[in-house]
Structure formats: C-alpha cells, structure tokens
Amino acid sequence: MPIQRMTCFKVKNEDDIQGLIEQYQSVSETNQKDGKPYILETSSRKAIDDPRNAGYNLIGITKFANMEDVQYYDETCEAHQKLKAFAKDKVAGPPLVLHLDV
C-alpha cells in the first residue's frame, strides 16, 4: 500500500520558503534508488496563515510505494540529504512528520 508522508516545517524567514519549495522540486527531479526514480509524487506548499498552524508554514508531501522506500529516503537518499542540508539553518526545530496509508 502506498505511503504518503507529510512533513511540516517552521521556516524561520518567510523569504526562505521559496528556496525550500525549489529544493522539493529538485528532490522530485533527482531522486534515485537502484539507478531509477523511486518517489511516486512530491510537492510542497506554503501554508495559509492561521493561528492554528502553531508556527508551521511549509508542508512537503512525498508519496512512496512502501515503508522500505520511506526508510531509504530517510537514511540513504542523496536528493533528500541535499534538501536536509539546505534546510538545516532555515527551519526552527525538527519538522513534524506524518505517514499515512493511501
């Protein structure tokens, strides 16, 4: 069963949100496992301002075929490592990550 991952970020500076969206696009274009793309879908969006957001202002959505691919993404994926390196100083605290069966 496919897994949808929603990652919520608290981006410190609103000006950095576009750069993070571009990094998600790069993940979509460059992800590789065994020499071929393995992420089924990738998107990211700026959250609409709302006090219930608790400071989260960017959502990244990735869809994987299975939890094995999620684990690969977290531990090995070069495209994801580049995204994390770019985001490191731009986000406050660790992101909120949710996985859903879809």
Side-chain angles (χ1 to χ4, degrees):
M1 178 174 288
I3 306 296
Q4 186 171 43
R5 174 183 177 129
M6 300 180 72
T7 307
C8 306
F9 298 96
K10 293 180 180 180
V11 181
K12 297 177 198 175
N13 184 334
E14 290 279 324
D15 294 337
D16 290 328
I17 289 176
Q18 185 58 41
L20 285 160
I21 289 172
E22 290 167 6
Q23 287 296 309
Y24 260 93
Q25 181 63 36
S26 178
V27 168
S28 179
E29 295 168 355
T30 64
N31 74 89
Q32 296 279 306
K33 180 180 177 189
D34 300 326
K36 57 187 174 188
Y38 72 101
I39 298 174
L40 304 178
E41 294 176 26
T42 305
S43 65
S44 57
R45 303 276 189 280
K46 181 182 182 305
I48 296 170
D49 288 333
D50 186 303
R52 296 171 289 185
N53 291 355
Y56 292 102
N57 54 5
L58 178 68
I59 311 301
I61 302 168
T62 43
K63 187 175 178 182
F64 303 91
N66 51 53
M67 282 304 291
E68 179 184 304
D69 285 351
V70 173
Q71 185 175 3
Y72 178 85
Y73 182 74
D74 281 335
E75 297 173 2
T76 309
C77 179
E78 185 177 323
H80 186 216
Q81 298 306 316
K82 288 179 182 177
L83 168 64
K84 290 194 297 187
F86 181 85
K88 183 179 179 180
D89 296 329
K90 295 172 177 58
V91 298
L96 172 65
V97 179
L98 305 168
H99 294 99
L100 309 154
D101 290 326
V102 291

